[in-house]
């Protein structure tokens, strides 16, 4: 059974930074594809960044150059470093894990506002 717990959301001013973390509970973390989606009010959930167990990282065009995804297989964590935040980055951010099925965290709120 896989469980994901996100942390690190909050309120930040435009131009600021936040670091989201996702703790994975379960086995075989290193071969799971991990990533982050987000959902803004009234909008569909959209991919932010994905990091396969062994492969190239993909970012949404809207976050390229500002966000960085990384993983620590020893600690079973995946991290999203978000810099130069914009008001349009405001959303609930969800961690996901995919292997034979897809698992989701409960989400963490990110609000970018002055």
């Amino acid at each position: 059974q896989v469980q994901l717990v996100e942390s690190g959301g909050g309120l930040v001013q435009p131009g600021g930074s936040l670091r989201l973390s996702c703790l994975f509970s379960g086995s075989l973390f290193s071969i799971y594809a991990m990533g982050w989606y987000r959902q803004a009010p009234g909008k569909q959930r959209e991919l932010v960044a994905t990091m396969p167990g062994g492969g190239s990282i993909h970012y949404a065009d809207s976050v390229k150059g500002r966000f960085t995804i990384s993983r620590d297989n020893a600690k079973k964590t995946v991290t999203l470093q978000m810099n130069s935040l914009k008001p349009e980055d405001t959303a609930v951010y969800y961690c996901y894990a995919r292997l034979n099925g897809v698992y989701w965290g409960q989400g963490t709120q990110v609000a970018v506002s002055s």
Side-chain angles (χ1 to χ4, degrees):
Q1 181 73 16
V2 172
Q3 291 186 321
L4 303 170
V5 178
E6 300 105 332
S7 60
L11 174 64
V12 64
Q13 292 187 341
S17 297
L18 280 175
R19 187 179 180 91
L20 305 182
S21 292
C22 175
L23 178 62
F24 176 103
S25 296
S27 313
L28 302 176
F29 172 77
S30 63
I31 64 173
Y32 272 79
M34 301 294 298
W36 294 88
Y37 275 71
R38 67 186 181 187
Q39 187 165 19
K43 294 188 177 181
Q44 289 188 329
R45 192 173 294 191
E46 63 174 1
L47 175 69
V48 176
T50 183
M51 189 171 196
S56 58
I57 295 172
H58 172 77
Y59 294 98
D61 287 343
S62 59
V63 307
K64 281 181 181 176
R66 300 187 298 122
F67 291 11
T68 303
I69 188 172
S70 60
R71 66 192 294 164
D72 186 328
N73 288 339
K75 295 182 179 179
K76 295 186 180 181
T77 58
V78 61
T79 300
L80 186 69
Q81 177 67 43
M82 305 186 295
N83 299 327
S84 302
L85 282 161
K86 305 175 181 179
E88 51 263 43
D89 295 318
T90 296
V92 177
Y93 283 69
Y94 297 92
C95 175
Y96 83 92
R98 177 172 55 82
L99 187 59
N100 295 320
V102 179
Y103 304 89
W104 295 94
Q106 81 286 356
T108 185
Q109 176 71 53
V110 170
V112 184
S113 175
S114 55

